[in-house]
Amino acid sequence: MSTARSLLPLALVAAALLTACGSADTLGRSAAVPGTDEMVGVGDDPRILVHDFNSAMEAMIVGELEYLPESGCLVINFRDEETGEITSSAAPVWPKNVAPLMEEERGGVSEPTVGPILDGDPVYAGGGSVSGGPTWEVDLSGECVPGGEYIVLTEDSFQAEPFDLSSP
């Protein structure tokens, strides 16, 4: 009988570990969560980069999300206001609270403040551009990081509508 009692706590610990290892959250995120000042890849299709950077960039980002189905990734395109032509593109680095999302063959993300942001949707957020080959080790193809450009988006900065620049 004492052997059975001593095995019971071991069985409970094993069951708890198996449950924890097998769980994923309801948004389909992998278990990969960045540590402070780190960036990791999350999801398969689309594959996104998420960060937990201490410093926040505060430039106003106004772009359009594009899903690249061949590569299974996302880029943000920036357009000339007058011509509407794409002037540059960058790989988005999302805050850690964002998860990859696929809806009706439109790749995108689920952002807690504004909800789904899918292929063709505008992106209004705070953030900043990083170029010149940061030393991050990322697992995205070259097509997913156009010209080596990244756009780091700041947590809690997303808006559903364009920025109102008329207010002081």
Side-chain angles (χ1 to χ4, degrees):
M1 188 89 146
S2 64
T3 306
R5 284 188 186 170
S6 64
L7 290 177
L8 182 60
L10 211 61
L12 292 174
V13 169
L17 286 173
L18 286 173
T19 303
C21 292
S23 66
D25 72 25
T26 57
L27 293 174
R29 284 178 72 133
S30 72
V33 177
T36 302
D37 289 332
E38 289 183 343
M39 177 184 65
V40 295
V42 175
D44 292 322
D45 190 9
R47 180 92 174 143
I48 67 170
L49 301 174
V50 297
H51 72 85
D52 187 12
F53 297 144
N54 275 336
S55 59
M57 296 184 213
E58 297 182 8
M60 290 182 287
I61 305 302
V62 178
E64 181 181 290
L65 192 65
E66 181 181 3
Y67 169 61
L68 305 175
E70 302 82 32
S71 303
C73 63
L74 305 169
V75 296
I76 294 180
N77 295 317
F78 302 96
R79 296 185 180 274
D80 180 276
E81 288 182 28
E82 292 178 19
T83 67
E85 293 194 26
I86 295 173
T87 57
S88 65
S89 300
V93 182
W94 306 94
K96 68 179 183 251
N97 64 346
V98 171
L101 179 66
M102 182 64 77
E103 281 189 6
E104 300 174 8
E105 298 187 28
R106 287 179 68 203
V109 295
S110 176
E111 198 284 325
T113 307
V114 298
I117 305 171
L118 299 169
D119 180 50
D121 288 346
V123 176
Y124 307 114
S129 174
V130 179
S131 62
T135 57
W136 301 326
E137 294 201 21
V138 297
D139 52 352
L140 293 178
S141 71
E143 180 180 349
C144 299
V145 187
E149 298 289 322
Y150 297 86
I151 194 81
V152 178
L153 303 166
T154 304
E155 189 171 0
D156 299 326
S157 71
F158 289 82
Q159 296 187 36
E161 300 294 323
F163 295 99
D164 181 7
L165 300 176
S166 62
S167 302

